[in-house]
Amino acid sequence: MIKARVHVGLKAGVLDPAGKAVEHSLHALGFAGVRGVRTAKSFELVLEETDAVKARAAVEAMCQQLLANTVIETYRIDLEG
Amino acid sequence: MNTGVIVFPGSNCDRDVAVALARAAGRPPVMVWHKETALPPLDLIVVPGGFSFGDYLRAGAIAAHSPVIRAVKDRAATGVPVLGICNGFQVLTECGLLPGVLMRNRDLRFICRDVDLRVDNAAWRFTAGYREGQVVRMPIAHNEGNYFADDATLDRLEGEGQVLFRYCTAEGVVNDAGNPNGSQRNIAGIINASRTVLGMMPHPERVADPDLGGTDGIAFFAGLMTALQ
């Protein structure tokens, strides 16, 4: 079994109003040094596959078809175990 | 005129649009559950508003991969008109029938209020009930209505006359003051390149009865039915 972690975030240049709101709130709490916040989603997948190359290819296809909307989002895949 | 309405778990404007379609078409639409893999013969397919699958993952993303949407895409490829309203618009972008994506509203709030829309292009059957430049009033009710596409896509949509509705002020001016959700270039509704698929965030079916909300949606459905005959 292989565990995959998928990180899905907004592309650079795509406005992230939720990240902006969090940034303002951090400033209000006194964390004046925060120079940018981007929100993201994270998925943990448990796969039957044992071959890392095949597992990565399968998760790549999952990202393209469902986990990310590539019009506005980018993704990163990390495999464990 | 045979119309059909696709129903997902979480759809909540399916009955409203069914009433509007029944009045305009003279007979009620067929209601099609999301698990269906085949569609009856239809002259118009409507993907209604709501919160399909609880908006899990992204609004419209799960519905976009349901069995019935595969059938809708096959039918759309043969030229059958498809209309997506609100969540239906989100589903149509997620399944690739329309370009771009509906992002979270600029101010992070769910917006439920009437807005003014300018009919940018009345040359196609979806806006046959209106005239170009006309300002109509319809409600919006969404959290993710902020239309986004890259500049090349936006230029193409505008250049090809694929923007049918834009958010505007009551005077019909398309500017930031008339933009409720941050949509790029104030886009509220677009059609695909072959002019057979329309997606729009405002709800014409909620202003299709003089006793309920307003009447600006009556011409929308009446014009569409006439154009489809």
Side-chain angles (χ1 to χ4, degrees):
Chain A
M1 302 251 262
I2 287 179
K3 204 185 233 183
R5 277 176 199 280
V6 179
H7 176 275
V8 178
L10 289 168
K11 282 181 181 172
V14 175
L15 219 63
D16 180 5
K20 242 344 181 209
V22 171
E23 186 182 340
H24 289 318
S25 199
L26 288 172
H27 288 165
L29 285 168
F31 297 103
V34 177
R35 282 290 165 267
V37 176
R38 303 286 281 175
T39 58
K41 274 180 247 179
S42 167
F43 302 86
E44 292 181 16
L45 282 64
V46 180
L47 307 169
E48 283 180 1
E49 184 60 62
T50 52
D51 182 298
V53 174
K54 286 183 190 159
R56 184 172 289 278
V59 177
E60 175 84 26
M62 294 175 206
C63 288
Q64 286 286 338
Q65 289 172 45
L66 183 65
L67 299 182
N69 183 326
T70 54
V71 176
I72 49 165
E73 292 172 328
T74 55
Y75 55 86
R76 192 184 68 232
I77 301 165
D78 295 313
L79 301 183
E80 295 169 18
Chain B
M1 184 70 53
N2 295 309
T3 61
V5 178
I6 309 297
V7 185
F8 301 102
S11 295
N12 65 11
C13 299
D14 45 328
R15 294 186 191 188
D16 306 55
V17 82
V19 170
L21 287 170
R23 284 189 186 157
R27 69 166 88 161
V30 181
M31 308 303 277
V32 187
W33 187 233
H34 69 110
K35 287 184 176 168
E36 296 292 335
T37 53
L39 295 167
L42 294 172
D43 304 304
L44 172 71
I45 300 168
V46 178
V47 186
F51 300 85
S52 58
F53 299 93
D55 276 352
Y56 289 170
L57 189 63
R58 295 178 304 275
I62 307 291
H65 299 284
S66 60
V68 76
I69 289 296
R70 240 163 272 156
V72 170
K73 287 176 81 170
D74 289 346
R75 207 54 78 77
T78 69
V80 172
V82 180
L83 163 65
I85 301 168
C86 195
N87 187 226
F89 187 8
Q90 296 162 341
V91 172
L92 295 181
T93 58
E94 280 285 346
C95 79
L97 279 177
L98 289 171
V101 58
L102 282 313
M103 293 183 58
R104 196 150 174 212
N105 294 340
R106 170 170 59 182
D107 65 358
L108 302 175
R109 290 198 186 93
F110 185 96
I111 306 170
C112 182
R113 65 173 172 88
D114 289 350
V115 296
D116 293 298
L117 301 166
R118 195 181 78 186
V119 180
D120 241 42
N121 190 333
W124 310 113
R125 52 191 163 188
F126 285 113
T127 39
Y130 300 130
R131 55 176 202 283
E132 194 168 316
Q134 185 177 348
V135 176
V136 294
R137 202 161 168 79
M138 292 183 196
I140 53 170
H142 60 242
N143 197 47
E144 285 89 10
N146 180 355
Y147 185 77
F148 179 92
D150 59 44
D151 283 335
T153 304
L154 293 170
D155 289 344
R156 197 183 67 239
L157 287 172
E158 289 186 332
E160 298 293 321
Q162 289 173 247
V163 178
L164 297 199
F165 295 103
R166 277 186 223 258
Y167 301 109
C168 66
T169 64
E171 295 75 37
V173 181
V174 175
N175 59 15
D176 203 51
N179 189 339
N181 54 24
S183 287
Q184 302 234 321
R185 305 189 192 182
N186 286 45
I187 288 174
I190 54 165
I191 47 172
N192 64 342
S194 57
R195 277 94 171 128
T196 53
V197 179
L198 166 66
M200 61 193 295
M201 289 312 295
H203 288 275
E205 80 281 13
R206 294 194 190 176
V207 280
D209 185 325
D211 293 331
L212 294 169
T215 54
D216 280 359
I218 294 173
F220 176 87
F221 290 102
L224 177 55
M225 292 306 150
T226 306
L228 288 176
Q229 268 160 15

